[in-house]
Amino acid sequence: MIEYLEPLINGILLGGLYGVVGIGLSMVFGIMRQVNLAHGELMILSSYLSLVFLQVLGLHPLVTLILVAPLMFFIGYLIQILLFNRVMQRGMEPFLMISFGLSIIIQNALLLIFTPDARSLETAMVIKGVDVFGLFNIPLIYLVNFTVGALVLTALHQFMKRTYMGWAINASADNETAAKLMGINVNKVYAYALGIAAVTAAISGVLVGMSFTFYPHSGTQYLIIAFGVVIIGGLGSLPGTFLGGLVLGVSQLFGGRILGPGFQLLSGYIILLIILTVRPQGILGGR
Amino acid sequence: MPLLEMKDVDTFYGELQALFKVSIEVDRGRIVSVLGANGAGKSTLLKSISGLLETRSGNIVFDGKRIDGLPPHDIVDLGLSLVPEGRKIFSSLTVRENLMIGSYTPKARKQSHKTLKGILKLFPSLHARISQKGTDLSGGEQQMLAIGRALMSRPRFIIFDEISLGLSPLVVKELYRAVKKINQEGMTVVLVEQDVKRSLKVADFAYILQEGKVTLQGNPRHLTEETVKRAYFGL
Amino acid sequence: MTAKPIRLTFIVILLAFLVTMPLWASRYAVNVGLLVCLYVTLASMWNLLAGYSGMVSLGQQMFIGLGGYTLAVSSMYFGVPVYLSVLFGGFISVFLAVLISVSVFRMKGVYFAIGTWVIAEALGICFSNWGYVKYGMGMFIQPAYKLSMSGVYYAGLILCVSSVALVFLLLRSNLGLALMAIRDDDQASETLGVNIFRCKFICFLLSAFITGLAAGVLYLNAIFIQPFEAFGISWTVNLLFIVIIGGIGTVEGPILGAIIFVLLQQFLSEYVGYNLIIFGGITIGVIFFAPRGLVGTLQMKTGWELFPVRRQ
């Protein structure tokens, strides 16, 4: 029993992080009915931005978010205004391609600037562990990830329920024409939505950077994790995203424990494919 | 000077012309009725006024300001609000949130709580359902919600598109009572309707559209049933 | 109509040029020609799915990896002649396609795209954890070392010509008519008795088969195969780029796109790092300014098609 308790707890904690990784993708899909293939790159871009601030200003990675988050909001806002808003009405493919193009550009720009070397946002949290009933150790960073992840998802939920921008985002997603009649500038609202999605990318990028090593092309891997989370939970569903993160995290660590560490990602993918086959709309997705 | 003046407006859907040199005037504090059969151009007219559709020629002046070519959200900000046909309640928002989103414009936001109180007094039945999902309400309540939502922007000018569509006579009566009350509080009202009789009863002035053109206009008391019918159906 | 002889002459000259190429061109030029041929093949197959059958796949690399690895394993471990191994690669790809069709045909639109991608990634992980194929280190395909350049080139050329001809003939067949009906309005065509599943299934298998073959020839030329490269998303990114700039849903699009892609790749190879940034920029630019791609935009302006698929 106890040997399975460890992957279970670690999996749940990892799932909290995965929830934040997926939330940005889920938002964009829920609101615009579009898939942003550049989401993983926005995450890794944030990891590198944090690295720069960390090295130049000597800040703790989490503190760099004070600078990285607003910067990413601005970048997300601009991407929506300059690129995505122009193809929103043309169906799924143009949006896919544009975001694909963007992801290639970001990935290779990072490669040029930072070289293909592995990087990480080093903190003492990776080494420190928390003792669980004297049975095993949980890395402190996992606890931090889960806490931040849960906070972000709660904060986002409150934002959507309590602010004018939150209502406007929901209203635009429900019915664009009616939203316009409320005095809502729908294009601007979408830009805010992508800005917020980019902020969640910033937070997950910094957490991922603190927990694991990253490379310029790591975005692809996290995009697939984000897809996993979002598909398991249902595209566009906020509580579903959290659940999706947990399912993916736990199944990865169990798979790793049973089949060997090389199969961690694989077991996540298999769960994902099973869910895609049986319930393409996700566990909590209604559509 | 009329509050809204529309002059020689042509509007197209792609290459298809839907409005032909339509001119309309609405004086301050009036209730003006716009009538017409299905496909007569009523919806196009409203879309042109509210900025959802671009006009090709002519001009629309609201309170001394050209509004043709402005985006819809700027027009709402000037104080012109539209209650859309089919109510278009936001399904992921509660009743309260549906009302609050109506006060999205900066001016309306400052007084939102005061406005909300007034609206709940006008439609007490919404009060009891304030935290339910907007789309869980009955048809009549949804219409009240749609009207309340439009009022939240504190408009000077409010347009009702097919307010009585698919509702029971009792509910329609109540809605019309609300419309009169809204008008008495100083708002200029435009009613777009297929229900000719009821709409003409409350209106100070009427326009009848047919195939994208104004075929008749005048004070409802001076219009005979015969001329209305002819203008409406083109008999 | 004078368009038909012009068209035929054009095609004959082009074919003559391609067939005689190893006789007069440099080794480098033949290599570039081979790459163009293979990319035309791969892109035509992606186009058959995305442009005509409404299946935007992000997982064509699963067949590329599988085709490559089948070649490596059967020629290295079992001593099967290389060209026969290439053929095996095609069959194994079809086998995989049949296997996964149970799952992916339940997915629509975006879900299909993601599902196919995830399968390719999963295969990449499997191969990198599989001792039989030397884990992530990859395999040298030694038997391919001895092949002559022109032999590999002709294999690529045959694939290229036959895949274009296949798509062209397919679209002019009843299946093609059914596909276009599905693309335009799948509910209407269903009621008209078009078996949508069957049409899409045939395209999916064909695409898997030819992609698997092309992958074999590709790795005859490359000689070295590694799981994360072979099953990497960048293959499909390249195909997307080719088809988008060429013109999605046209027979000529992948041809023009592949020529531009390979030439750009050669030209930009000196500027390592910038080349993909430029690709990304061009993709975005084309979507904004020529939404139907170069061929689609040209056709709209001139009305001329090299391969008219609509029957008069």
Side-chain angles (χ1 to χ4, degrees), chain A residues 184-263:
Chain A
I184 295 169
N185 181 344
V186 177
N187 280 337
K188 208 167 137 187
V189 164
Y190 289 148
Y192 262 89
L194 200 73
I196 294 167
V199 169
T200 69
I203 295 167
S204 51
V206 168
L207 292 180
V208 157
M210 284 163 58
S211 317
F212 313 106
T213 50
F214 55 90
Y215 311 84
H217 59 260
S218 296
T220 312
Q221 178 195 338
Y222 289 107
L223 179 66
I224 294 190
I225 287 175
F227 273 141
V229 170
V230 161
I231 282 170
I232 293 169
L235 281 162
S237 151
L238 217 79
T241 307
F242 196 66
L243 182 73
L246 298 189
V247 171
L248 194 66
V250 171
S251 59
Q252 276 196 1
L253 290 196
F254 265 95
R257 171 61 59 100
I258 295 162
L259 300 169
F263 291 95

Side-chain angles (χ1 to χ4, degrees), chain B residues 16-77:
Chain B
L16 206 77
Q17 188 161 6
L19 290 185
F20 298 83
K21 300 241 167 297
V22 170
S23 301
I24 275 177
E25 286 183 9
V26 180
D27 285 329
R28 242 169 262 267
R30 293 288 172 82
I31 297 183
V32 169
S33 169
V34 175
L35 301 163
N38 253 337
K42 295 179 311 230
S43 293
T44 317
L45 180 77
L46 297 189
K47 281 183 187 160
S48 307
I49 296 174
S50 57
L52 291 172
L53 256 181
E54 233 171 280
T55 57
R56 191 165 295 186
S57 59
N59 54 57
I60 306 172
V61 177
F62 179 70
D63 200 17
K65 193 172 185 305
R66 282 277 299 258
I67 60 167
D68 48 302
L70 286 186
H73 55 90
D74 282 346
I75 294 174
V76 176
D77 201 30

Side-chain angles (χ1 to χ4, degrees), chain A residues 86-87 90 93-94 97-98, chain C residues 240-250 253 256 260 281-301:
Chain A
R86 297 177 179 209
V87 294
R90 275 168 48 192
E93 285 91 353
M97 307 295 177
I98 296 244
Chain C
L240 226 105
F241 175 83
I242 290 170
V243 176
I244 293 299
I245 58 169
I248 191 165
T250 63
L256 186 63
I260 294 175
I282 293 176
T283 309
I284 293 175
V286 167
I287 289 167
F288 279 158
F289 302 112
R292 292 158 183 243
L294 297 175
V295 170
T297 309
L298 272 176
Q299 278 177 1
M300 222 170 50
K301 293 214 165 113

